[in-house]
Amino acid sequence: MEIEIEETKRNTRVPTPDRWKIVHYREEGVSAAEVGRLLGLPDSTVKSIYKKYQETGEVKDKPRSGRPLKVTSDVEERIITEVTNHSGLSLTQIIEETKVDISKPTTWRTLKDNGFSCRTSKVKWTLDDKQRKARLAWAKRYIQMPDEYWLRVVFSDESKIQHNSKKESHWVTKEMKVPYLEIDRWQASVTVWGCITAEGVSILEIIDGSLKSSDYLNILRRRLLRNLPALNPSNVHRLGSLPLIFQQDGASIHTTTSVYDYFAKRGIEVLPWPVKSPLSLIESVWSRLKDKLKRSYETREELVEDIQRCWNNIETEYIANLYQGMKRRIQAIIDSQGGPTDY
């Protein structure tokens, strides 16, 4: 039995692009019922729009009685053309560039009726040609690694979590002023360092202040092999297993001589990592952890306690799915020729 995912659209104007899709599907011999299912529309709407096209060669609604519409076909076409060519314009800029005499709400409705919606751009790192080439070369090399290889990788990184003061709400009239909430300009924050394996979350370290290279080396010495002994080849070879592989990015605190000496003396394999990479799975885990946190905290201690609780509650299945999608992340870099990706 099929499950209908999208609620059927009723009593809403069908966007022009969808109307032409109806014509296309019906001309290809797709039934009205199937077209309705694909577009989330009633069969009767599909039939009505296609009949209108057969009779008039157009898909737009017939003019209605009453006050003439400000948005004529010419105005609508000018707006759609302008937005198609310059998608970053605001409503005010669209009106100015097209020189149409309509309001911003009318412009917004016109865009919405034609299938447009406003979305915020994702922020991505700027990459020069050298960095793009290095990322692409890395991706082409490691896309060949089998899935079993990535299951051996321990992903690590640090993250900063901001402490937000408790917000206050007040019931006031128009004549009353909302009392100020005084806070320090520089909010307390918590820096954390952690790592994950294919089996779930592993080490989480709460940092006092900023993380320096000496702090990082101290964490590695105190906790890495104690929590993840399989990183040392001598601990697994006798069992006939392959050792884990440690991943870290190229931050300066990670790449000092002392840190590399630590890895070399213990035979720990460190995965080469591309510059400004979106691939580290732990970045997704940090985002999930922050989503689980409360909106505000009275004290730093309360924040730390909640960070630890949320870390321990990160689902094993969620992390397993991240590992399964590692090759898709690498392929995305290849597809973008080393440029930004959706990750």
Side-chain angles (χ1 to χ4, degrees):
M1 181 179 70
E2 292 187 355
I3 299 176
E4 188 169 339
I5 298 176
E6 183 176 346
E7 184 179 346
T8 301
K9 301 175 185 176
R10 296 185 183 274
N11 301 322
T12 58
R13 185 178 184 276
V14 180
T16 300
D18 284 354
R19 293 172 180 240
W20 285 111
K21 286 181 183 178
I22 290 173
V23 172
H24 170 73
Y25 284 133
R26 294 293 285 124
E27 293 287 302
E28 292 293 321
V30 181
S31 68
E34 180 65 13
V35 175
R37 189 188 71 79
L38 291 170
L39 300 179
L41 296 169
D43 298 0
S44 57
T45 300
V46 174
K47 292 177 181 177
S48 175
I49 291 174
Y50 185 56
K51 182 179 179 181
K52 185 183 304 176
Y53 170 76
Q54 289 179 313
E55 294 174 349
T56 67
E58 295 288 340
V59 294
K60 295 183 179 180
D61 292 327
K62 296 178 181 178
R64 298 180 181 180
S65 59
R67 183 180 177 182
L69 294 176
K70 285 189 174 182
V71 184
T72 62
S73 297
D74 175 63
V75 168
E76 184 177 47
E77 183 177 351
R78 284 157 65 186
I79 291 173
I80 300 308
T81 300
E82 187 66 32
V83 172
T84 301
N85 294 331
H86 306 94
S87 63
L89 297 178
S90 66
L91 291 174
T92 300
Q93 290 171 328
I94 294 170
I95 294 171
E96 291 175 349
E97 292 296 325
T98 55
K99 296 179 174 58
V100 295
D101 184 21
I102 58 175
S103 66
K104 289 195 288 187
T106 301
T107 304
W108 179 83
R109 283 194 300 271
T110 301
L111 291 169
K112 183 180 179 183
D113 289 344
N114 282 274
F116 287 88
S117 58
C118 190
R119 295 288 183 268
T120 302
S121 300
K122 293 182 179 180
V123 177
K124 299 294 182 181
W125 282 313
T126 300
L127 297 164
D128 58 34
D129 288 342
K130 182 178 179 181
Q131 292 168 337
R132 288 173 182 261
K133 289 177 181 178
R135 282 161 52 106
L136 182 59
W138 185 94
K140 287 182 176 179
R141 175 184 176 187
Y142 282 93
I143 192 68
Q144 303 175 42
M145 296 298 182
D147 293 337
E148 292 76 16
Y149 175 87
W150 296 109
L151 295 178
R152 294 166 52 204
V153 176
V154 177
F155 289 95
S156 73
D157 203 7
E158 56 274 347
S159 182
K160 185 176 182 179
I161 300 175
Q162 188 76 30
H163 164 266
N164 297 313
S165 297
K166 197 77 172 180
K167 296 181 179 179
E168 295 181 355
S169 299
H170 302 268
W171 291 101
V172 295
T173 65
K174 292 182 178 179
E175 293 76 23
M176 297 168 60
K177 289 186 176 180
V178 180
Y180 292 111
L181 175 62
E182 295 187 6
I183 61 174
D184 292 332
R185 180 179 179 185
W186 305 111
Q187 297 289 303
S189 61
V190 175
T191 299
V192 293
W193 179 89
C195 60
I196 60 171
T197 73
E199 297 179 352
V201 296
S202 183
I203 305 169
L204 178 69
E205 184 83 7
I206 306 296
I207 311 298
D208 290 326
S210 59
L211 183 63
K212 301 182 288 293
S213 179
S214 57
D215 300 323
Y216 181 58
L217 182 59
N218 185 42
I219 294 171
L220 297 178
R221 286 171 172 167
R222 285 190 296 106
R223 303 199 60 180
L224 194 59
L225 288 179
R226 188 183 73 186
N227 290 80
L228 298 165
L231 281 165
N232 189 325
S234 62
N235 292 332
V236 295
H237 282 167
R238 63 176 179 272
L239 302 176
S241 302
L242 292 172
L244 297 178
I245 302 165
F246 190 72
Q247 179 276 333
Q248 60 176 10
D249 63 27
S252 58
I253 63 171
H254 301 160
T255 55
T256 62
T257 301
S258 298
V259 169
Y260 277 122
D261 284 347
Y262 169 85
F263 292 130
K265 290 178 181 179
R266 291 157 182 81
I268 297 174
E269 180 181 352
V270 179
L271 177 65
W273 204 243
V275 65
K276 296 181 179 179
S277 171
L279 296 173
S280 182
L281 302 184
I282 198 169
E283 295 295 345
S284 297
V285 175
W286 290 136
S287 296
R288 194 166 185 86
L289 181 146
K290 292 173 183 178
D291 288 341
K292 290 176 175 287
L293 294 173
K294 294 187 296 185
R295 294 184 62 183
S296 58
Y297 298 89
E298 294 283 1
T299 64
R300 181 181 186 276
E301 290 70 27
E302 185 183 344
L303 172 59
V304 168
E305 182 180 343
D306 206 27
I307 289 172
Q308 293 170 327
R309 179 188 63 81
C310 292
W311 175 261
N312 292 326
N313 287 334
I314 297 292
E315 304 86 346
T316 302
E317 294 80 7
Y318 171 74
I319 293 179
N321 288 335
L322 291 177
Y323 272 84
Q324 291 172 9
M326 188 62 197
K327 280 200 169 183
R328 289 196 297 273
R329 293 176 179 238
I330 300 174
Q331 185 61 51
I333 289 183
I334 295 174
D335 293 342
S336 68
Q337 292 296 298
T341 72
D342 288 336
Y343 292 98

